[in-house]
Amino acid sequence: MNSNNNNNNDSSSEDDMQVYETLTKLPPANDLLPRKLTIDIDVKSLYPLKALPQFCKNYVSFLEESTHRHCAIQETAAGDENRTLLDYYDENKQNLVYKRFDQLDLGKRTTNDRTYFATLIANFKRAQPKVFFRGEALFDQKLTSCASDQIQFDSNFESGNLFCAFKKSENVYDLIIQNDINTRGNTQWFFFSVTGAKAGQTIQFNLLNHLKSGSLFNEGLQPAVYSLKDNQINGSEWCRDGFNISYFKSPFMKEYPLSLKRKYYQLRFHYTFKHNDDKVYFAHSYPYTYTNLLEFLNTQLDDQERNQHLSRKVLCTTLGGNTCEVLTITSNSLQRRAYRKGVVFLARQHPGEPQGSYVMQGIIDFLTSNTPQAEYLRQNCIFKLFPMMNPDGVVNGNYRCGLEGSDLNRRWKKPNKYLHPSVYYAKKYVKGFSKERQIILVIDLHGHSRKQSSFVYGCAYSSQVKTIERVFALLMAKLNPFMDYPSCTFRIENAKDKTARIQLWRELKINWVYTYECSFYGQQKKHYQIKDYLNCGVSICNALSQIVKDTSKEFTNQANVPDIQQQMLEELGKMPQTDDQDNGSDSSQSEAELSDDELVQLFQPKTYSTKQKNFLKQQEFNKKKPQPVNPKSTINTQKASILQESPSKNSDQKPPMSSQKPKNTLYRIQAPQRLRQVEQTKLPDPPLMVDKSVQTDDWMYRQWLIQMGKMKKQQEFQSFTPTRNIYKSSSQSVTRFIVKNSSTKNDRGRVDSISLVTSGLQNKLISSSQQRQMMRYSGSNFMS
Ligand SMILES: [Zn+2]
């Protein structure tokens, strides 16, 4: 008996070993479902940000436009000056009154932050490679002491992006907007605050470095203004104000590409302060921050009625650590669920276009409401909403790009899982959704800085033939007083081939895929207010409810309603033939974006293997030899250097990144000299052309990304794999292994247990929660 017992123990200890071994190899535990629907406001930015006031408590009490003291003065550039902003900066150092990052305690930040800081204004860096690093020239620049009566600027808050300000003369200030992070420009959006002005004081603001050649500021658009004092006294909220507004060619040249000698554009406006001790915010349009979105979603989900139809899910985490969410809205009754149609809305691919968020908010608010129309839509459709595709850009004050410096709405053809996670996962998600049910409508919400009114870009092979693609646009325009059908265009533009609209249209064969644009201004020279944007969202839903056939009717074969699609097509046929001309394109590919190769360099690890170092030495040596002028060979040299710098599968050995253990985050900005050396090799060609040709042959880039992906995954695994403490306890009939995971934040101290139970006693001995854990494991690798 005794020996028998011992034998049992022996064999069980062998089993134990096996179990232990298997347990240690298990992938990290899945996150449990969230306990509460609302989440803590958790906004991650590259630098510490101050809280913004609670703008917009209600949307109806807007100041009606009263004194429209606008008069556009067309001004031309002052001569043929060849000055850059860097020259300006040097000449006016003594007048510097504000610099964004001087206000922050940067001393505590790790060196890895260079990745972000170093390239905030890449063109500055290009001219003076050392200028931009923390602790170096630009950051060490001492501010002139500000007299207490002088006005003070601030932009260290969410979506803020004033880079620096100079006092030009009494009541005249020159401002420079921060470039989109990791780009050479993309400056159009602005958001900053001013304090310390006296009541009645009029100040002229010159924003020196806008990118676009045209602007609605010359047609009557005024900056969005929010005065804290005015809000306290009169309850006024965001309004349009400012006068003597003009937008014209700046005397300063764009730093990139210098050879083309292109100029920036300058916005000038005057504003008269109404109160003493006031803080006044100025922006391109009414800001809508990531915090605003999270607060709005939380109120929706706190509402017992609304949260019946609404659920939220994490789509992915962005490069900056923010959460990108996908919402589902549909009726929670299971009746005829299979017949419901799919509808997808996207917003804020472009962070500097807050209109998209207001329209999205209007849509969500309407769809979760208890109106009959909303109920009808929920019964007949399943809505998937991506309310903020680019939270990083929004948080950090970008206009077009994410942290990695690329326009997300040009990445839909082949999004990179690690560089463009929100696009990668959204595309995957929508594709999966389309397999599950028919998607009838996709709308990507944007803001337009050069055209008035709201309108859509649609897809069609011919701009002449009135096809089904136009039907929903016409219907929306009929129901929405803010939408202008003649402004809509239906084309497949080569330049926009990689947008969400064209890619989804091509790949999923959905007729109604639109980019919905809302003007920064308004229509017929009247400013849009926030409620107008919200109403645009409501009208989109109204139009949809007109055209979605009641699936219950379809089911019972009683479709006796007039066919709206047919009506619209007939109406389209009667309209005069027009050739869609989109002269005010808002989304041409910007040369301010870094090329893929530059991105590779930017995100490249700093560590090299000995083999690589040797190669680089060789490279240096080769460079000293006279280079043939043949552009092809220059490209080859460049390729070779990138190939070497970017570990690829071909470099037979282990990639250097994995061979050297990472101590810290690896992505570091490359030494700037390097960038310049590569340039020196591409003699007489203008840099832009060489960039382009290399860009098309992106094999190495992809190879490198694959490598980077693998590394990142490994890193992720290391950082996310919790420390597992495995305990064993045994009683007569139960041997229980308890796994305590103790590192990941999302875990909430999760404890898994696996019990090897002799049958029959199971129910008595294990609590229900443990049973659930067992069920959880029953499907996993461990049990099978
Ligand atoms: Zn846009």
Side-chain angles (χ1 to χ4, degrees):
M1 193 71 190
N2 219 351
S3 66
N4 205 359
N5 254 349
N6 277 344
N7 275 346
N8 273 349
N9 279 347
D10 279 344
S11 70
S12 84
S13 76
E14 249 173 58
D15 287 347
D16 290 356
M17 277 312 292
Q18 262 189 332
V19 173
Y20 266 96
E21 227 169 87
T22 323
L23 281 174
T24 48
K25 282 176 190 160
L26 274 176
N30 291 329
D31 289 345
L32 296 174
L33 285 170
R35 285 193 193 125
K36 50 177 185 177
L37 289 162
T38 51
I39 59 168
D40 299 327
I41 305 293
D42 180 22
V43 175
K44 297 197 175 75
S45 71
L46 300 183
Y47 20 79
L49 298 176
K50 296 165 194 160
L52 281 168
Q54 282 277 339
F55 296 127
C56 306
K57 279 148 220 139
N58 48 63
Y59 295 106
V60 274
S61 68
F62 281 91
L63 281 185
E64 282 305 318
E65 233 171 296
S66 46
T67 48
H68 190 77
R69 288 190 290 162
H70 163 261
C71 72
I73 316 156
Q74 285 288 344
E75 293 182 45
T76 44
D80 253 350
E81 275 187 272
N82 286 333
R83 292 200 309 153
T84 64
L85 284 174
L86 196 67
D87 300 325
Y88 177 89
Y89 188 90
D90 282 340
E91 288 159 25
N92 289 278
K93 272 177 197 166
Q94 69 284 357
N95 299 323
L96 192 70
V97 291
Y98 172 73
K99 215 162 49 187
R100 186 169 188 188
F101 303 106
D102 262 9
Q103 323 286 312
L104 305 172
D105 182 12
L106 298 168
K108 287 174 192 154
R109 301 186 71 85
T110 64
T111 44
N112 286 315
D113 284 350
R114 282 162 50 119
T115 312
Y116 304 115
F117 283 115
T119 48
L120 287 174
I121 293 195
N123 40 21
F124 275 11
K125 192 189 79 177
R126 183 167 279 269
Q128 282 190 20
K130 284 189 173 176
V131 163
F132 225 80
F133 293 157
R134 180 170 55 81
E136 289 167 23
L138 194 55
F139 283 113
D140 281 349
Q141 188 71 49
K142 285 279 171 284
L143 290 181
T144 47
S145 53
C146 299
S148 58
D149 64 331
Q150 215 166 8
I151 74 161
Q152 284 144 33
F153 292 85
D154 194 7
S155 60
N156 285 321
F157 40 75
E158 216 180 329
S159 297
N161 71 342
L162 177 64
F163 179 67
C164 57
F166 302 87
K167 185 172 183 178
K168 194 83 178 145
S169 63
E170 203 56 41
N171 294 332
V172 178
Y173 289 85
D174 282 352
L175 316 180
I176 295 179
I177 314 170
Q178 179 186 303
N179 283 3
D180 275 15
I181 287 156
N182 289 327
T183 75
R184 302 190 180 87
N186 289 313
T187 41
Q188 204 72 21
W189 164 257
F190 60 87
F191 185 24
F192 61 90
S193 74
V194 174
T195 40
K198 294 196 193 87
Q201 187 179 359
T202 298
I203 289 175
Q204 178 188 328
F205 297 99
N206 300 314
L207 282 77
L208 301 180
N209 60 333
H210 279 291
L211 193 79
K212 290 182 178 171
S213 56
S215 168
L216 290 165
F217 281 112
N218 276 339
E219 293 173 35
L221 172 65
Q222 295 169 289
V225 178
Y226 185 100
S227 152
L228 281 185
K229 265 277 171 71
D230 223 35
N231 176 264
Q232 285 162 15
I233 297 167
N234 305 319
S236 60
E237 295 186 345
W238 279 103
C239 62
R240 296 288 183 171
D241 208 341
F243 60 99
N244 282 344
I245 300 161
S246 54
Y247 187 91
F248 52 93
K249 206 177 233 182
S250 151
F252 301 106
M253 281 200 314
K254 285 180 192 169
E255 291 82 352
Y256 185 87
L258 253 183
S259 53
L260 296 186
K261 296 196 171 180
R262 275 188 293 211
K263 299 274 168 107
Y264 280 113
Y265 287 80
Q266 182 169 336
L267 169 67
R268 168 176 300 168
F269 68 92
H270 294 73
Y271 177 78
T272 308
F273 290 81
K274 297 191 183 90
H275 307 278
N276 286 320
D277 307 318
D278 194 5
K279 185 172 200 174
V280 181
Y281 289 87
F282 296 91
H284 194 187
S285 183
Y286 323 112
Y288 190 104
T289 60
Y290 182 47
T291 306
N292 291 148
L293 173 76
L294 295 177
E295 281 169 351
F296 168 71
L297 290 180
N298 279 350
T299 52
Q300 287 277 312
L301 287 153
D302 276 339
D303 187 316
Q304 292 300 321
E305 299 233 320
R306 290 182 189 267
N307 70 26
Q308 297 296 309
H309 328 292
L310 174 63
S311 67
R312 71 197 296 183
K313 198 185 153 202
V314 174
L315 181 73
C316 63
T317 308
T318 57
L319 276 180
N322 288 303
T323 308
C324 189
E325 289 183 79
V326 54
L327 311 175
T328 306
I329 299 178
T330 192
S331 166
N332 58 5
S333 86
L334 293 174
Q335 226 181 1
R336 301 204 173 88
R337 210 181 155 96
Y339 294 90
R340 288 179 200 162
K341 305 275 198 286
V343 178
V344 175
F345 292 113
L346 305 156
R348 292 308 275 284
Q349 293 205 68
H350 294 149
E353 300 172 352
Q355 298 92 328
S357 279
Y358 289 110
V359 179
M360 179 60 90
Q361 180 165 328
I363 291 171
I364 296 172
D365 207 34
F366 178 83
L367 288 177
T368 56
S369 68
N370 55 8
T371 59
Q373 259 171 323
E375 178 57 30
Y376 176 81
L377 280 173
R378 290 195 298 265
Q379 289 282 348
N380 289 289
C381 300
I382 294 184
F383 294 91
K384 297 288 181 187
L385 306 101
F386 301 85
M388 201 167 274
M389 289 289 289
N390 191 352
D392 290 350
V394 173
V395 170
N396 294 295
N398 282 5
Y399 174 61
R400 271 193 96 74
C401 299
L403 285 194
E404 84 296 353
S406 59
D407 182 340
L408 292 191
N409 203 23
R410 295 292 181 283
R411 295 285 164 179
W412 280 74
K413 196 165 188 176
K414 260 189 186 169
N416 181 276
K417 193 171 172 181
Y418 300 100
L419 289 178
H420 326 109
S422 58
V423 174
Y424 178 87
Y425 287 103
K427 187 176 174 186
K428 204 171 159 188
Y429 194 94
V430 173
K431 276 183 148 180
F433 187 48
S434 77
K435 282 179 190 144
E436 182 192 312
R437 64 190 63 244
Q438 185 199 357
I439 298 179
I440 55 167
L441 175 67
V442 177
I443 295 186
D444 182 15
L445 302 161
H446 285 258
H448 206 286
S449 71
R450 298 201 236 194
K451 278 164 93 174
Q452 292 198 45
S453 191
S454 80
F455 53 93
V456 300
Y457 294 119
C459 301
Y461 284 116
S462 160
S463 60
Q464 305 278 331
V465 186
K466 308 284 193 276
T467 49
I468 188 87
E469 280 89 352
R470 294 164 182 254
V471 167
F472 191 71
L474 181 62
L475 183 65
M476 276 196 287
K478 279 179 160 299
L479 296 175
N480 185 354
F482 302 114
M483 195 171 148
D484 180 38
Y485 182 76
S487 299
C488 301
T489 55
F490 300 85
R491 288 195 305 179
I492 304 291
E493 308 92 327
N494 283 338
K496 296 185 183 175
D497 188 55
K498 292 172 186 167
T499 58
R501 166 171 65 96
I502 294 180
Q503 286 303 317
L504 292 178
W505 180 77
R506 268 194 219 285
E507 292 187 25
L508 305 180
K509 313 267 184 283
I510 305 165
N511 288 327
W512 299 335
V513 184
Y514 300 112
T515 302
Y516 187 95
E517 301 270 0
C518 270
S519 175
F520 273 80
Y521 186 3
Q523 63 189 32
Q524 280 145 19
K525 305 227 163 194
K526 201 171 177 305
H527 285 102
Y528 280 143
Q529 298 178 350
I530 289 178
K531 59 179 180 189
D532 300 334
Y533 293 128
L534 295 169
N535 278 329
C536 282
V538 175
S539 348
I540 291 173
C541 298
N542 278 333
L544 187 63
S545 68
Q546 299 265 315
I547 214 157
V548 168
K549 285 210 184 95
D550 191 332
T551 48
S552 59
K553 276 176 188 157
E554 204 170 77
F555 186 66
T556 52
N557 225 349
Q558 289 175 350
N560 212 7
V561 277
D563 192 339
I564 297 209
Q565 289 204 36
Q566 202 54 44
Q567 276 181 28
M568 291 296 129
L569 276 173
E570 277 165 25
E571 212 165 306
L572 280 167
K574 285 175 203 155
M575 289 168 98
Q577 288 285 347
T578 49
D579 196 9
D580 290 335
Q581 288 290 326
D582 179 26
N583 296 322
S585 171
D586 202 37
S587 29
S588 49
Q589 183 91 35
S590 157
E591 73 271 3
E593 227 177 275
L594 303 183
S595 72
D596 284 353
D597 297 314
E598 284 170 303
L599 271 180
V600 169
Q601 293 180 337
L602 195 66
F603 284 87
Q604 184 190 348
K606 219 179 175 182
T607 46
Y608 298 104
S609 65
T610 349
K611 202 179 172 189
Q612 278 194 318
K613 279 178 193 159
N614 289 339
F615 188 91
L616 288 177
K617 271 181 200 164
Q618 185 66 37
Q619 196 79 20
E620 291 290 303
F621 178 73
N622 288 345
K623 261 180 215 162
K624 282 169 193 161
K625 291 180 188 168
Q627 290 283 323
V629 197
N630 177 5
K632 195 128 201 187
S633 79
T634 351
I635 293 162
N636 284 338
T637 332
Q638 226 184 351
K639 270 187 202 167
S641 82
I642 291 166
L643 180 68
Q644 190 52 38
E645 286 158 21
S646 324
S648 72
K649 270 190 177 169
N650 267 21
S651 60
D652 55 87
Q653 295 270 314
K654 269 187 190 170
M657 300 177 275
S658 50
S659 62
Q660 283 184 309
K661 251 203 164 167
K663 275 180 198 153
N664 231 321
T665 319
L666 283 179
Y667 315 127
R668 284 206 181 171
I669 176 76
Q670 204 205 338
Q673 293 89 335
R674 185 140 204 84
L675 240 165
R676 296 166 87 216
Q677 276 165 7
V678 173
E679 265 156 38
Q680 280 160 12
T681 65
K682 50 191 174 187
L683 274 176
D685 287 354
L688 191 66
M689 290 176 67
V690 177
D691 281 358
K692 280 257 161 86
S693 56
V694 177
Q695 205 172 342
T696 51
D697 182 16
D698 59 355
W699 179 83
M700 266 131 353
Y701 173 55
R702 254 183 279 132
Q703 289 301 315
W704 183 79
L705 282 178
I706 291 167
Q707 211 56 57
M708 190 180 100
K710 278 186 186 160
M711 187 191 63
K712 173 124 193 218
K713 197 150 191 193
Q714 191 186 351
Q715 247 186 317
E716 250 171 33
F717 185 75
Q718 278 165 1
S719 63
F720 282 105
T721 308
T723 12
R724 290 206 175 81
N725 297 313
I726 303 175
Y727 304 97
K728 182 190 171 190
S729 65
S730 46
S731 64
Q732 268 192 333
S733 49
V734 185
T735 310
R736 185 182 300 160
F737 296 93
I738 297 171
V739 189
K740 285 190 176 163
N741 298 322
S742 55
S743 87
T744 53
K745 214 165 101 190
N746 302 330
D747 253 347
R748 298 196 300 267
R750 153 124 187 232
V751 176
D752 295 335
S753 68
I754 292 166
S755 307
L756 307 175
V757 194
T758 46
S759 59
L761 289 164
Q762 193 166 337
N763 294 337
K764 285 174 199 166
L765 286 169
I766 308 170
S767 75
S768 61
S769 69
Q770 284 159 348
Q771 274 180 25
R772 206 180 63 199
Q773 297 296 353
M774 284 181 71
M775 283 169 65
R776 180 178 287 274
Y777 274 93
S778 66
S780 77
N781 295 336
F782 170 61
M783 294 302 275
S784 58

